[in-house]
C-alpha cells in the first residue's frame, strides 16, 4: 500500500511521522474502524499504588516522575494501606 503523507488525517499523519509507514499500516489493520482512547496514565493505577507502597525509601517526587502520577497522589497512596479503597 503506497502512502502519501499529505493525504493522511491527523492522528495517522502523526503516527506516520513518528514511526514510519510499516507501523502505520499495522496499526491501521489492527484497529481499523475502532475508536481508540488512550488512558491518561501509561501505568495501571492499582499496580502503581502497590509499587509505591513497596518502595517507601524512594522519595515521592522521583516516584511521581517515574510513574506519571502527581506527587500528591503518591503521598496519598503512601498513607493508605494496601486494602483501603481509592479516594
Amino acid at each position: 500500500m503506497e502512502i502519501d503523507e499529505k493525504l493522511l488525517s491527523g492522528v495517522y499523519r502523526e503516527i506516520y511521522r513518528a514511526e514510519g509507514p510499516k507501523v502505520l499500516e499495522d496499526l491501521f489493520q489492527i484497529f481499523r474502524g475502532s475508536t481508540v482512547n488512550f488512558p491518561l496514565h501509561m501505568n495501571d493505577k492499582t499496580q502503581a499504588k502497590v509499587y509505591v507502597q513497596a518502595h517507601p525509601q524512594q522519595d515521592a517526587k522521583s516516584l511521581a516522575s517515574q510513574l506519571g502520577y502527581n506527587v500528591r497522589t503518591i503521598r496519598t497512596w503512601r498513607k493508605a494501606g494496601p486494602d483501603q479503597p481509592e479516594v
Side-chain angles (χ1 to χ4, degrees):
M1 170 186 202
E2 191 67 29
I3 297 175
D4 185 352
E5 182 181 350
K6 293 177 283 195
L7 299 175
L8 294 173
S9 61
V11 71
Y12 290 122
R13 186 178 305 115
E14 294 301 319
I15 293 168
Y16 180 83
R17 287 178 180 165
E19 300 300 326
K22 176 68 176 131
V23 172
L24 175 62
E25 288 179 37
D26 291 346
L27 287 173
F28 181 73
Q29 292 303 320
I30 293 168
F31 295 107
R32 182 181 187 157
S34 299
T35 300
V36 179
N37 293 313
F38 291 96
L40 180 63
H41 301 286
M42 205 159 38
N43 295 306
D44 177 70
K45 188 176 188 176
T46 304
Q47 293 303 314
K49 180 180 177 183
V50 169
Y51 184 86
V52 166
Q53 292 174 344
H55 294 84
Q57 73 284 358
Q58 199 169 348
D59 70 292
K61 188 174 181 178
S62 67
L63 282 170
S65 176
Q66 178 183 353
L67 298 172
Y69 289 89
N70 64 42
V71 175
R72 185 176 180 181
T73 299
I74 301 297
R75 290 182 179 143
T76 301
W77 288 345
R78 280 223 169 118
K79 290 179 185 176
D83 298 329
Q84 290 184 343
E86 296 295 320
V87 178

